[in-house]
Each structure stands twice: as C-alpha cells, then as structure tokens.
Amino acid sequence: MLCKDAKLLEILEKGRNGEGITKEECIYLLEFDEHSFESSLVRATANDLTRERMDNAGVILGQIGVEISPCKGGCKFCTFGEGHTKFESFSISNEELDQKIREFTEGGDLYGLYLMTMHDFNLDVILNAVEHAKRIAPPQTQIWVNVGDAPFRTFVELKKAGVRGAYHVCRLREGIDTNLDPKNRVKTMENLLAAGLELYTCCEPIGPEHTNEELVDNFFIGIELGCTQHAVMRRIAVKGAPLYSRGQITELRLAHICAVLTLALGR
C-alpha cells in the first residue's frame, strides 16, 4: 500500500531528519486513528528515529516510594488523592529503604533510581533517602527525585546532595482534575532547572476525553523548557478514583501519541 497523503509524508520526513515538528503538525498526526495505515507509518518512523538516536539501546529505571499519605493534591485520577484514598500515612524505614536500594542496584544495570514522595514533603526525609541511595547504589546509577512543588532553594539542596534530576509535570487539566495550580507546576520545573538539575517530564495522565490540542500544548511545556527526558502516560482506570468512569485509552493509541511526541522533540 502506498501513502498518497503528501502532507503526512512531508511531516514524517521532517521528523525523521530530527528537525522537530510544529504544534499544528503534531495535531495533524494525532488526528489519524490508531488502527489506520497512516498511524502505522507514524509509529514506524518514530521507532526508527529512536533506535538510531539511542543506538538501539534502552535504559532501566526504578522508583522507591519514600513516604505516602492522603495527598492534598486531590488528583481525581490518583489512588492517593485526599478525600477518596484508602491508604494511610506511611514512611519507609531506613532498613527497608536500604534493602530496596540494594535489590534495585545489585545487578549494576540500573540507570536511574527515583525517590518519590507525595506532593507535600519533608526535605530532610528526602535528603536522608538520597544519602542512603548515594552510599549504596553504584556510581553508574543516577539518583533522581519525584517530589511536589518546591522553591529553588530546595532543589539547590538536592543538587548538593548528589541528585542528578527530577521528574515533574504540569498534568493535563491541572487545576481542574487536581487541586494544584498549573502555574506553580511550571514554576517548579523552572526552579529545578535553575538549580542545575535535569528535568524529566511527561504528558499525563491521558484519558479518552483529552483533545489532541490539549495533548500537544502539554507536549510543548517540556519541549520549550528544554527537558532532558519526555514521555507520555495513559491514565489507568482505578476503581474508587473519581475519574474511573471515564475509562482509559488503548495501548495502541498511547503508542501513536508517543510516536508523535518523539517526532516533535527534534533532537
């Protein structure tokens, strides 16, 4: 089968050459049904570009929850959201933390280890976890954090402690499906970058109700900030979460969205 869509082929050629594609071109690609021939071309092009860019290699990542509690972020898609969670507050012991770090890193092939908290967190608690990770993990394993909104000085302290980067996102419909201010989310990304940390971000949590325009606007938050890593994630329909009834997108649709983001990155 030959593709007769000249616009599609032109966009794919730009993306394949690493030039990046515009918001309008991203939206055009996202309009194709994930079961279509055109979608298979988009995915194949992005797959080829990624394998060439990364020398056909991937990385292994891990994450340890340092503490959990009913979260004031109140995210309607999250099992920890205050008001609907069934989880009680919990902090990992130093002994269990050490054990999990060893289990993750004993093979020597873990590229990055995330240490995660809730939106509200105690800096001393996360710094303690970082100290344990730096002591136990081999030098080739980067230490990252996944924490809530925080000022510049917090990330300066994390950088001094040996943290390489942080995962942070301004989520889809932030401030509508969450109790958090999207401006604060972006400001936190700016803070961690200003402190010298790498930004790892994501377009998430994608549900069936999100428009292509919403997805693309979210893509470009990370792109325009100069993130080190970008990703996409679908929302999992968790029973008990307020957004459960909206369902979830297919893995094939997620792959299509991921492919468009890959072509948009342009590097």
Side-chain angles (χ1 to χ4, degrees), residues 239-260:
K239 287 187 177 180
L243 297 187
Y244 171 73
S245 62
R246 294 187 185 174
Q248 59 189 54
I249 64 172
T250 66
E251 291 184 353
L252 188 60
R253 173 61 176 169
L254 183 65
H256 181 86
I257 296 169
C258 184
V260 175

Side-chain angles (χ1 to χ4, degrees), residues 6 12 15 19 23 36 40 48 95 106 127-128 130 151 177 207 213:
L12 293 182
E19 300 175 35
K23 287 186 177 182
S36 67
S40 69
D48 186 45
E95 293 75 19
E106 61 187 358
L127 286 173
N128 174 72
V130 171
D177 292 337
E213 288 77 10

Side-chain angles (χ1 to χ4, degrees), residues 100-257:
K100 290 186 178 297
I101 295 170
R102 291 191 184 97
E103 290 173 350
F104 262 127
T105 62
E106 61 187 358
D109 54 4
L110 189 72
Y111 181 79
L113 176 63
Y114 280 112
L115 300 170
M116 185 185 73
T117 68
M118 297 289 96
H119 178 73
D120 288 340
F121 68 99
N122 185 308
L123 179 57
D124 289 337
V125 170
I126 195 69
L127 286 173
N128 174 72
V130 171
E131 189 276 326
H132 282 252
K134 292 295 291 182
R135 174 168 49 82
I136 296 171
Q140 66 268 27
T141 297
Q142 299 178 22
I143 307 303
W144 303 337
V145 295
N146 183 349
V147 298
D149 290 332
F152 168 74
R153 63 181 179 274
T154 293
F155 295 109
V156 170
E157 290 301 312
L158 289 167
K159 172 77 172 177
K160 288 180 181 178
V163 172
R164 176 72 173 268
Y167 179 87
H168 207 75
V169 302
C170 181
R171 289 162 293 211
L172 292 161
R173 301 192 182 179
E174 194 82 77
I176 298 173
D177 292 337
T178 77
N179 296 332
L180 306 176
D181 187 336
K183 292 181 181 178
N184 291 339
R185 303 296 290 174
V186 174
K187 180 59 178 177
T188 294
M189 295 186 210
E190 294 171 345
N191 289 340
L192 70 91
L193 286 167
L197 295 180
E198 294 178 346
L199 169 63
Y200 316 127
T201 194
C202 184
C203 175
E204 55 110 333
I206 304 170
E209 73 276 18
H210 295 124
T211 67
N212 293 333
E213 288 77 10
E214 285 179 284
L215 298 182
V216 172
D217 283 344
N218 197 274
F219 285 177
F220 277 81
I221 294 174
I223 291 173
E224 291 172 356
L225 285 171
C227 63
T228 297
Q229 291 182 0
H230 212 323
V232 297
M233 182 174 69
R234 66 174 178 168
R235 184 181 68 236
I236 300 300
V238 178
K239 287 187 177 180
L243 297 187
Y244 171 73
S245 62
R246 294 187 185 174
Q248 59 189 54
I249 64 172
T250 66
E251 291 184 353
L252 188 60
R253 173 61 176 169
L254 183 65
H256 181 86
I257 296 169

